[in-house]
Every structure is written in C-alpha cells, then in structure tokens.
C-alpha cells in the first residue's frame, strides 16, 4: 500500500487514481530514504517502477502552497528525449493535485520556445544534458537554487558520452542538494567516478540484479541461415505469434529501414524509429504505437531507448545486441509491471558466440525454438566448448549472407552500416556511443 509511505495526501490521491495498488520493490526500497533527504544510488532495471520511486519523494519535497515561481528547484537528467518525455508525463500524472510545474528541455525541439518556457521558471526541469548545457551557455538557466538532482539511467548517460556535461550541471547546483542516481547496471569505472563526484555518502540499493530480467518474459532463440532467412522468420512470427505489440530491433538504421519496407509491402501495420528520423516522425511513431494504430515497431537501440509502451509483449532481436547490458535494455521492456513477455533472438552462424556470451552474462540459458514452417539448415554449431561457444570454427559467411549484407568496401556508403549509436554525434552533437563488451 502506498499509504505506508509518508507522502502528502495529494500525491497519494494521484497514485490511487493511477491504480497503483502495491508499490514495486524499488519503490519500497527507495521512497523512505529519499523522503529523509538522503543521497541514493539505486541499481534497478527499466520497467521496475523506478520513475515513481524518485518522482514521488521529489514532489513530496517540493509540495506546498501556490507561490510565485522564481527558481528551478529540481532537475532530472536523462539520456534520451523519449525517456525525458515519458518522465515529464509521469511527473505530470503524480503532480496533478499540486501547484508544481515541470518543464522539458531536450535536443531536437525549438530552442527559442524552450528559452521562453525557462523564463517562466518551472519548479522541475527535465531534460537531456547536452541541450541543458546549451541553455546554460546562452544564459537561460540558473541552477543556483536546485534542491534535488536526479540522474536517471546514469550508466547509459555515460555510455552516450555525457559524463562531462552531467558533472558540469551538477557542479552548478548547490553542494547541499540531494542527489538520486539510478542506473540499470552496476556500471564500470566511469560510473564509480561519477558516484564519487556527485553523491554524498549515498545509500546503495541493489533492487534488481541486471540478470534478473522479468521472470514473466520467456527468452528464446531461433537459428537462421542468413539475413533474408531472418526476415522470413520475422514475418512468420509477426503473422503467427499472439501479441499485443511487438518491437523488432536492428543494429543499424539501414537494416531497420529495409525490414520496415518489407513488412509494409506485406501489409503489416508498422512504424520505424531510428536516429535519422526527425523529431516529428519519432513522436508520431511512438504515439501510434501507444494508441494501438500500429502494433509493430522496427527500431534501433538509440531510438527505442527508454520507450515505455503499454502492452509491449514481443521483442524480436533481428540483430543480436552487442552486449549483455544492451540485451537487458531491449528485453527489459517486455513483461513490464506484471505483464507477460516473449523475447526471441534470431541467431545466424556468426551470432552464436555472442549469443552464448550473453547467456553466460545473464546466467541463463535461452530456450531453443524450432519453427518448422520457416526452418533453415543452420541449427547451431556442431560441437560446443564448455563455455557454450562454437568449438573450432571461424566466423564465415554463407553466400546468401554475402549477397544480402556485404558490399565491396569501396562501394559501401559511408554510413550505411554504421551502428546506430555512432549517429549520436550528428543527432545531438555529442561524442559517439562507447561500446561495452559482454565479458
Ligand atoms: P518505470 O520502471 O518507471 O519505467 O515503470 C514501468 C511502468 O510501470 C510504468 O508504466 C509505470 O507507470 C508502471 N508502474 C510503476 N509503479 C507501479 C506500481 N506500483 N503499480 C503499477 N504500475 C506501476
């Protein structure tokens, strides 16, 4: 029961209206110490209810009678626009019976309109670090009275090259503020550095281990001969699986566009989302998916980051993610808040060892599934090492694979197969995404 927390009755009323009955484990663990004003470092995965775990104590701190707005009192930093937009919605839902106002500042939106919004001084500012810094540099932003900083998906912000921007923004806030840092993984040296820099004697709450993917999500692999075969499997799955909404992940924009085109040609109601799409298209795709006008989204990791779409219960990894963390992020969006989910990864010869590394990272074994209607000839390595990797084989491509994916180097378009994360530089003017290894 949410009434177990010392939350203002106006917040409890909003919570009750949202039909949140039982707090999730991260809410149980984080809300009380956050209400006491402590700094927190919380390791909790996407879908665990972590947004409410920081939004409710934050609102509780700011709640009060109506008064002229003169200072920004809290900032919430997130890695992507979509996540920032979702967080704003969550803040608005919980603050509807209060006088607290929140504003959103992300890249890809009109700078002048944002500057005008900042002149009205929201109590809570939600945004991505790069654009916030631009406003700071333009003299539009004063953080001298900030009481609370939230760094959400901090590990991801570091991966995306935001470390310096985040530190700078934190340095501009008063040292006595409260800082709440959330990350999906325990992170590496970069996260440790940031924690040492921005948190004061934090309490560390490990609510979900990264390998605790929602138990309601089944994880399967289906072997495939080459990319064209993978496409046939995707089409079969989308036509025959029972699902409410599905997302197909690719590692590159060009592959996302290609699959999208083929699905449209087969009359699937589908949207595509990647970093090259402009903000309007991205918003439209997400809205259509949320409203149910389209059931299927083809997306790259960057574009789909932090998406919280109700009823998303089928994730297909057309391309395997490049790391175990990335796998968790993709698959973590099914089986959210109690729903059931199914994650299917399509595995060609060249994907096997990465897949087996991900299994070891997650300490789980994926269910091997054979679909007789679209069965190919590749069924996995003939011999396996104890680690689960292929024994005595070198990565090689089948003829068909070469035909569908590899072009001669000289003819290849410069960005055609660039991983989506690398496009961040052009998207947000940021350093390229750093890759994390599985092991
Ligand atoms: P998050 O991890 O914050 O992205 O939350 C995932 C989803 O769970 C969101 O749609 C929330 O609205 C929902 N949610 C969060 N907490 C609860 C709760 N205690 N009961 C029901 N749904 C929740």
């Amino acid at each position: 029961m949410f009434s177990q927390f010392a939350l203002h009755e106006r917040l409890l009323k909003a919570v009750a209206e949202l039909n949140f009955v039982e707090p999730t484990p991260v809410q149980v663990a984080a809300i009380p110490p956050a209400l006491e004003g402590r700094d927190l470092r919380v390791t909790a995965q996407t879908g665990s209810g972590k947004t409410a775990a920081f939004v409710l104590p934050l609102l509780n701190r700011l709640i009060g009678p109506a008064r002229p707005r003169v200072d920004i009192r809290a900032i919430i930093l997130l890695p992507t626009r979509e996540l920032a937009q979702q967080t704003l919605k969550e803040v608005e839902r919980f603050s509807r019976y209060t006088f607290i106002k929140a504003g959103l500042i992300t890249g890809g939106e009109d700078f002048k309109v944002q500057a005008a919004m900042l002149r009205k001084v929201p109590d809570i500012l939600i945004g991505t670090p790069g654009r916030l810094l631009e406003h700071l540099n333009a003299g539009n932003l004063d953080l001298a009275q900030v009481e609370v900083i939230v760094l959400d998906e901090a590990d991801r912000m570091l991966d995306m090259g935001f470390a310096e921007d985040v530190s700078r923004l934190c340095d501009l806030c008063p040292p006595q503020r409260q800082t709440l840092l959330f990350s999906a993984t325990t992170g590496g040296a970069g996260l440790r550095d940031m924690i040492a820099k921005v948190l004061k004697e934090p309490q560390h709450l490990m609510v979900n281990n990264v390998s605790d993917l929602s138990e309601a999500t089944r994880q399967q692999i289906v072997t495939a001969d080459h990319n064209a075969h993978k496409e046939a499997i995707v089409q079969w799955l989308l036509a025959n699986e029972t699902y409410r909404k599905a997302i197909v992940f690719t590692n590159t924009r060009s592959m996302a566009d290609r699959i999208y085109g083929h699905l449209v040609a087969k009359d699937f109601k589908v949207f595509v989302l990647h970093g090259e799409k402009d903000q309007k298209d991205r918003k439209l795709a997400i809205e259509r998916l949320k409203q149910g006008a389209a059931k299927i989204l083809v997306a790259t990791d960057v574009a789909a980051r932090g998406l919280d779409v109700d009823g998303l219960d089928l994730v297909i990894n057309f391309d395997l993610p490049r790391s175990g963390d990335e796998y968790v992020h993709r698959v973590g969006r099914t089986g959210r808040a109690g729903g059931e989910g199914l994650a299917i990864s399509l595995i060609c010869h060249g994907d096997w060892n990465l897949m087996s590394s991900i299994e070891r990272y997650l300490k789980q074994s994926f269910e091997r599934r054979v679909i007789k209607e679209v069965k190919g000839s590749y069924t996995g390595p003939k011999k396996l090492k104890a680690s689960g990797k292929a024994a005595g084989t070198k990565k090689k491509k089948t003829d068909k694979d070469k035909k569908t994916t590899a072009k001669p180097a000289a003819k290849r378009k410069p960005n055609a197969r660039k991983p989506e994360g690398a496009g961040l530089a052009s998207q947000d003017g940021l350093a390229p995404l750093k890759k994390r290894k599985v092991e």
Side-chain angles (χ1 to χ4, degrees):
M1 298 287 279
F2 275 83
S3 52
Q4 74 191 66
F5 304 121
L7 288 169
H8 197 285
E9 60 187 24
R10 292 184 184 193
L11 299 179
L12 289 175
K13 187 173 169 200
V15 168
E17 279 182 14
L18 291 171
N19 296 324
F20 283 21
V21 181
E22 284 300 323
T24 66
V26 68
Q27 291 158 1
V28 171
I31 292 177
L35 283 173
E36 284 171 18
R38 288 202 59 161
D39 278 9
L40 296 183
R41 171 196 171 183
V42 185
T43 312
Q45 72 194 40
T46 315
S48 58
K50 66 189 167 65
T51 315
F54 62 75
V55 170
L56 287 170
L58 170 60
L59 292 173
N60 202 72
R61 181 173 178 144
L62 305 187
I63 211 163
R67 60 176 197 181
R69 276 187 202 93
V70 283
D71 297 310
I72 292 170
R73 299 177 64 198
I75 55 171
I76 303 176
L77 302 183
L78 306 109
T80 66
R81 300 164 194 171
E82 280 80 14
L83 202 48
Q85 281 157 352
Q86 272 168 209
T87 305
L88 174 69
K89 279 204 182 133
E90 201 88 336
V91 168
E92 285 173 343
R93 296 203 295 171
F94 290 127
S95 63
R96 56 190 299 196
Y97 298 114
T98 75
F99 294 103
I100 298 167
K101 281 274 167 293
L104 183 70
I105 296 284
T106 65
E109 305 280 349
D110 191 287
F111 196 82
K112 282 194 188 137
V113 172
Q114 291 180 341
M117 183 275 284
L118 288 172
R119 281 196 290 280
K120 290 194 206 141
V121 195
D123 300 292
I124 304 173
L125 194 57
I126 301 165
T128 47
R131 180 54 75 91
L132 278 176
L133 265 188
E134 285 175 40
H135 279 288
L136 200 94
N137 294 335
N140 299 337
L141 200 58
D142 180 1
L143 301 177
Q145 301 303 324
V146 166
E147 296 168 41
V148 184
I149 303 177
V150 179
L151 307 177
D152 192 13
E153 306 242 359
D155 48 351
R156 187 69 182 176
M157 284 201 279
L158 296 182
D159 279 352
M160 291 172 72
F162 281 129
E164 259 181 47
D165 292 358
V166 171
S167 291
R168 209 172 137 218
L169 288 165
C170 290
D171 282 349
L172 291 162
C173 298
Q176 67 276 16
R177 91 268 159 165
Q178 179 184 24
T179 311
L180 307 173
L181 181 146
F182 286 74
S183 65
T185 66
T186 45
L191 190 66
R192 278 199 299 279
D193 280 357
M194 171 157 298
I195 286 162
K197 254 192 240 159
V198 305
L199 297 182
K200 285 183 310 289
E201 298 168 24
Q203 194 172 339
H204 185 188
L205 306 173
M206 291 268 286
V207 182
N208 279 310
N209 192 294
V210 72
S211 49
D212 286 348
L213 280 174
S214 166
E215 282 175 15
T217 300
R218 291 176 71 190
Q219 296 171 70
Q220 304 178 333
I221 62 155
V222 176
T223 50
D225 295 342
H226 39 67
N227 281 340
H229 184 207
K230 282 189 178 183
E231 287 202 43
I233 298 172
V234 167
Q235 289 178 13
W236 188 91
L237 287 168
L238 293 175
N240 293 283
E241 275 297 325
T242 311
Y243 61 94
R244 284 199 286 163
K245 285 171 195 165
I247 185 162
V248 181
F249 278 105
T250 67
N251 288 350
T252 62
R253 297 166 185 186
S254 54
M255 188 53 87
D257 280 334
R258 186 192 153 96
I259 294 174
Y260 166 72
H262 289 173
L263 288 175
V264 169
K266 297 263 173 192
D267 283 339
F268 285 100
K269 285 220 157 56
V270 55
F271 269 91
V272 64
L273 200 60
H274 57 57
E276 248 165 39
K277 295 274 155 202
D278 71 24
Q279 192 59 8
K280 250 183 29 218
D281 284 349
R282 290 153 68 93
K283 267 190 192 156
L284 188 73
I286 292 172
E287 278 314 306
R288 288 276 160 86
L289 193 71
K290 285 195 170 167
Q291 292 156 4
K295 277 175 64 166
I296 305 163
L297 184 68
V298 182
T300 57
D301 295 287
V302 170
R305 180 86 207 140
L307 261 189
D308 175 22
V309 176
D310 220 25
L312 194 59
D313 46 5
L314 175 63
V315 169
I316 301 176
N317 289 319
F318 181 92
D319 293 318
L320 257 194
R322 301 176 193 92
S323 72
D325 284 346
E326 204 59 69
Y327 180 89
V328 172
H329 285 306
R330 286 186 184 182
V331 171
R333 62 200 66 247
T334 66
R336 297 185 129 205
E340 291 207 341
L342 173 63
I344 303 173
S345 300
L346 307 186
I347 307 296
C348 278
H349 175 89
D351 301 321
W352 186 274
N353 284 352
L354 176 57
M355 184 275 297
S356 114
S357 302
I358 294 174
E359 282 187 317
R360 269 186 302 143
Y361 176 82
L362 299 173
K363 300 190 180 68
Q364 290 188 21
S365 181
F366 301 144
E367 196 180 317
R368 272 61 173 158
R369 172 169 171 191
V370 177
I371 304 170
K372 65 177 186 322
E373 290 86 348
V374 278
K375 191 171 179 294
S377 50
Y378 178 65
T379 54
K382 297 223 161 41
K383 263 189 173 168
L384 291 176
K385 292 187 202 164
S387 65
K389 292 191 176 180
T393 48
K394 282 243 156 64
K395 194 177 167 183
K396 62 179 178 198
K397 284 197 162 126
T398 64
D399 282 351
K400 262 201 168 158
D401 227 4
K402 278 181 196 152
K403 228 191 280 169
T404 51
T405 64
K407 288 184 191 165
K411 284 190 190 160
R412 209 178 280 164
K413 282 193 217 142
N415 282 337
R417 288 183 54 78
K418 205 160 77 171
E420 174 73 352
L424 284 168
S426 58
Q427 208 185 315
D428 290 331
L430 301 167
L433 179 77
K434 271 191 237 135
K435 263 202 290 175
R436 263 175 297 175
K437 288 222 177 82
V438 169
E439 289 164 310

